[in-house]
Each structure stands twice: as C-alpha cells, then as structure tokens.
C-alpha cells in the first residue's frame, strides 16, 4: 500500500475553514484517495473520496493536486462536532479490500 | 436506515470463555469486515466477506471465526478469549470492497478479557 503522511495535529477555531493536508508522493495512477474521521469513542466515519478531480459533498471538499502527490480535505466551517482524528487513506484499484489506517491528524476545534 | 448495528456495546469475558459479536447491516452491502482497534496501533483487519457464503482472513485472524450465511449478518466468534483480545471491535460494510466506494462502520464493541 502506498504511504500517506499527515501532520499529527492541527487546531482550528469554530466557524472557520480547516484545510487538512495529506502527502502521498508514491501514489499510483489507479489509487483512490479516501478520507475518514473518527470522533472520540466512535467508529470511523467515511468523509469523502476521489481519484483525480476535486470532489464536494455535504460534509467536506477534497482538493487533489494536479500531480496527485498531495491532497487537502477542506471543512468549510468547522464546528465543535468536527473535532476528531482524520485519516487519509489510499485505496488501490484491484488491490486489497482492507483499509490501512495510519496515525491520522487530530483536529482540535476551539470555541 | 439503521446502517451498521453492532451488539453488544460492552462486554467483559473471563479468559477461556467464548462469545459472538453481532454485526448487521440494512444497506444490502455485499462487503463486510471486522477490525480491531488497540491503543496506538490503529485499526487492523481480522476477517472479511465479499458476499454471502464467502469469507477470508485479514491480517490478524487467529482466535476468531466468522461466517456469512446472509447478506445482512456477519458475526465474529471468539473461540477461547484471551487477555490479548481486549480491544474495541468495529464492523464495517460497503457496497463493494473496491476502492470507488466508502465503508460504513458500526459504533463498536468494547471487549475486556480478564
């Protein structure tokens, strides 16, 4: 599985945008970029995924660099409920079904 | 839509006891899987199933059994509980195990083996 690198922690203020970066310099052409988050004492929650183009859904936006070696998860207006550990995961086309969770980025949202 | 339902939420077992962790989904997902999460180690795949009647081992299958008799249910059986199996267990499902689909996780079962 290709490796991803994320900052250990980030801090944001409530109602401000948050940009969570992820580096994946060894990504292959068929790897999908997935983001999950895990709130305290809960199971992981799917956030968004993409392949090449930027993606938007009701939870967040995913901005993928043109060379695909990095991506950014964007929370447009952080709320206290967004405080969680965010995981950036690569999924290979035709590869293993398992999700490989790294250490992720712990996001703290200040009121 | 209940999503993925796991029962029980908490369980304490004595060493050597057996038990079954239940997982049910109502989304007609073909793919289901079990993960365990230990402090500082992230989630690790125990077993998975790509459809009814088909199961396979993940990276940490020892001490666990699974079966998939229906699309909806994927129970995880601990054969003879050991303290090393103290963990939080998550069940996950997906329309397909492929990379173009996200996974839905249950809320977890916190298991303590004494």
């Amino acid at each position: 599985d290709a490796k991803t690198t994320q900052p250990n922690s980030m801090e944001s203020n409530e109602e401000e945008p948050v940009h969570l970066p992820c580096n994946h310099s060894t990504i292959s052409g068929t790897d999908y970029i997935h983001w999950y988050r895990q709130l305290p004492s809960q199971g992981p929650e799917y956030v968004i995924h993409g392949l090449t183009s930027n993606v938007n859904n009701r939870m967040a936006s995913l901005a993928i660099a043109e060379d695909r070696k990095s991506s950014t998860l964007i929370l447009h207006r952080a709320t206290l409920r967004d405080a969680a550990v965010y995981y950036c995961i690569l999924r290979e086309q035709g590869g293993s079904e398992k999700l490989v969770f790294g250490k992720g980025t712990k996001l703290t949202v200040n009121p | 839509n209940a999503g993925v339902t796991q029962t029980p939420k908490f369980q304490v077992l004595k060493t050597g006891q057996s038990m079954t962790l239940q997982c049910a989904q109502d989304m007609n997902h073909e793919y289901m899987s079990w993960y365990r999460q230990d402090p500082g180690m992230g989630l690790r795949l125990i077993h998975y199933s790509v459809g009814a009647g088909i199961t396979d081992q993940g990276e940490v299958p020892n001490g666990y059994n699974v079966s998939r008799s229906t699309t909806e249910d994927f129970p995880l059986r601990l054969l003879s509980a050991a303290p090393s199996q103290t963990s939080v267990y998550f069940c996950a499902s997906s329309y397909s195990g492929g990379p173009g689909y996200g996974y839905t996780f249950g809320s977890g079962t916190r298991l303590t083996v004494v």
Side-chain angles (χ1 to χ4, degrees), chain A residues 34 36 38 43-44 49 91 97 99, chain B residues 35 37 90 97 99-100 103 105:
Chain A
H34 284 242
Y36 286 77
Q38 188 170 20
H49 77 278
R91 300 283 319 280
E97 293 89 352
L99 298 176
Chain B
Y35 287 82
Q37 185 172 33
F90 292 105
Y103 285 43
F105 282 81

Side-chain angles (χ1 to χ4, degrees), chain B residues 58-78:
Chain B
E59 55 184 309
V60 288
N62 291 340
Y64 307 95
N65 269 358
V66 292
S67 61
R68 183 95 179 270
S69 56
T70 67
T71 299
E72 294 78 19
D73 300 298
F74 191 45
L76 178 71
R77 279 181 284 278
L78 279 69

Side-chain angles (χ1 to χ4, degrees), chain A residues 9-13 18 79 82-84 86 105-110:
Chain A
S9 62
M10 291 185 64
E11 214 168 309
S12 172
N13 295 321
V18 181
T79 69
D82 291 322
Y86 287 78
T105 297
K106 183 175 182 178
L107 176 66
T108 301
V109 180
N110 300 314

Side-chain angles (χ1 to χ4, degrees), chain A:
Chain A
D1 297 307
K3 183 176 169 55
T4 63
T5 304
Q6 299 177 252
N8 290 333
S9 62
M10 291 185 64
E11 214 168 309
S12 172
N13 295 321
E14 201 174 7
E15 298 189 7
E16 290 184 355
V18 181
H19 290 233
L20 295 161
C22 180
N23 287 321
H24 29 77
S25 57
T26 59
I27 191 171
S28 75
T30 55
D31 285 348
Y32 284 74
I33 302 160
H34 284 242
W35 283 83
Y36 286 77
R37 70 181 185 180
Q38 188 170 20
L39 279 66
S41 300
Q42 293 191 29
E45 178 184 26
Y46 166 81
V47 178
I48 200 168
H49 77 278
L51 183 60
T52 56
S53 304
N54 294 345
V55 185
N56 301 297
N57 66 20
R58 63 175 179 81
M59 291 181 68
S61 295
L62 175 61
I64 301 173
E66 199 168 330
D67 63 4
R68 300 206 331 123
K69 293 185 185 301
S70 66
S71 61
T72 303
L73 180 71
I74 303 166
L75 307 179
H76 295 287
R77 281 180 80 240
T79 69
L80 298 179
R81 196 195 170 276
D82 291 322
V85 179
Y86 287 78
Y87 298 97
C88 171
I89 298 169
L90 299 185
R91 300 283 319 280
E92 182 183 4
Q93 182 77 24
S96 167
E97 293 89 352
K98 77 176 181 182
L99 298 176
V100 179
F101 287 82
K103 294 194 182 302
T105 297
K106 183 175 182 178
L107 176 66
T108 301
V109 180
N110 300 314

